[in-house]
Amino acid sequence: MHLDVQDLRNFYYRSTLGRAAQAAVRGRLLGIWPEAKGQTVAGYGFAVPLLRPYLKDARRVIGLMPGPQGVMPWPAGLPNVSVLCEETLWPIETGHVDRLVVMHGLETSEHPSAVLDECWRVLGPGGKAIFVVPNRAGLWSRSDKTPFGFGRPYTLGQLETQLRKHQFLPEFHCSALYQPPSSRRFWLKSGALLERTGTRLPTIMAGGVFMVEASKRVHPPRRKGVQDKVRVLNPLGVLNPQPNGKAEPV
């Protein structure tokens, strides 16, 4: 089930733990996509906390928020770019998105396969998506004090298998949120150090979320129509002498 947009806003923008989580995940995202100059960037679910760095140079930024969750104006102090949409019917033309970020949109959906189909549809040739999902073995998926404690957590293998089934090609993965989901002052102060240390650990260990970058796989078009083929029963028949001595077409 989807969380309410007010709860998500309060966590990411009004709580110290939420702002720390936002900084950690956004830092990893910027390490993968440092810029998006001249590109169309979209976020689905509640991905807007990660998209602000792209507002300056991107051609267009769109924040897609599903109906069961609700929508809020974003970004604050600038023209609104957030849109309320159906989970599986986004108001974007096919192939118009260059970069797509999905956070709190896949694990909370009752129709994850249809969501992935819609992700594939809106991406253009060469388009890439990053999926941010709770790590099933991480601490964040076990705490209902954060949005990552709701919905369906994943293992890395489960997520990549799902992506391949929907014509995505996983290219890179990493983890984030190595600090515990605690608002205690000690852990909040240690958060930046724990995130830097976590980047040196194997992806499967400890991180609260998985981040998988995948590209849109497009198969080459098949030829349409049936090619005419000449069926020759006896290819060497032209060498046989004709009874009447006249040449006839084969």
Side-chain angles (χ1 to χ4, degrees):
M1 71 176 193
H2 288 279
L3 290 170
D4 187 86
V5 69
Q6 299 298 331
D7 295 330
L8 291 165
R9 181 183 66 176
N10 291 339
F11 176 75
Y12 281 107
Y13 293 104
R14 297 182 180 178
S15 74
T16 307
L17 179 61
R19 288 193 291 269
Q22 177 184 160
V25 179
R26 189 165 64 188
R28 296 308 299 268
L29 177 64
L30 289 174
I32 304 170
W33 295 345
E35 52 85 27
K37 188 174 182 179
Q39 297 180 332
T40 296
V41 180
Y44 174 73
F46 197 77
V48 290
L50 311 181
L51 303 184
R52 181 172 282 275
Y54 302 116
L55 287 170
K56 182 179 179 181
D57 296 324
R59 177 176 56 190
R60 188 179 183 188
V61 175
I62 309 168
L64 299 164
M65 301 190 185
Q69 168 190 291
V71 67
M72 73 173 198
W74 185 87
L78 294 172
N80 177 62
V81 299
S82 64
V83 180
L84 185 69
C85 67
E86 296 290 340
E87 278 192 285
T88 57
L89 188 62
W90 301 351
I92 299 178
E93 294 184 16
T94 299
H96 274 225
V97 174
D98 301 298
R99 296 287 184 267
L100 173 66
V101 181
V102 178
M103 185 170 76
H104 302 308
L106 188 61
E107 74 275 11
T108 55
S109 174
E110 296 181 1
H111 311 284
S113 291
V115 170
L116 288 174
D117 287 339
E118 193 68 356
C119 293
W120 190 92
R121 181 188 70 81
V122 301
L123 281 175
K128 294 188 177 184
I130 286 185
F131 298 88
V132 183
V133 298
N135 176 3
R136 194 173 70 180
L139 294 176
W140 289 72
S141 66
R142 305 176 193 180
S143 172
D144 57 7
K145 296 180 181 179
T146 81
F148 295 104
F150 293 83
R152 184 190 307 104
Y154 285 83
T155 66
L156 182 60
Q158 287 173 338
L159 178 57
E160 291 188 339
T161 298
Q162 280 289 92
L163 294 178
R164 289 190 180 96
K165 285 182 179 179
H166 290 82
Q167 305 303 312
F168 285 98
L169 181 64
E171 295 184 346
F172 176 78
H173 61 258
C174 64
S175 291
L177 294 184
Y178 286 90
Q179 66 185 86
S182 171
S183 297
R184 292 186 178 182
R185 190 174 181 181
F186 171 79
W187 293 117
L188 292 173
K189 282 191 170 184
S190 305
L193 175 61
L194 292 172
E195 293 299 323
R196 289 195 298 270
T197 304
T199 60
R200 302 182 179 90
L201 298 175
T203 302
I204 198 172
M205 293 180 62
V209 298
F210 289 124
M211 302 176 66
V212 176
E213 180 190 35
S215 60
K216 179 176 182 176
R217 181 185 296 172
V218 180
H219 296 287
R222 297 180 179 180
R223 289 188 176 183
K224 295 183 179 180
V226 180
Q227 296 180 1
D228 294 330
K229 295 182 179 179
V230 178
R231 185 181 180 187
V232 180
L233 296 178
N234 184 6
L236 300 180
V238 294
L239 302 179
N240 297 333
Q242 299 298 322
N244 56 9
K246 295 181 180 179
E248 295 182 0
V250 178

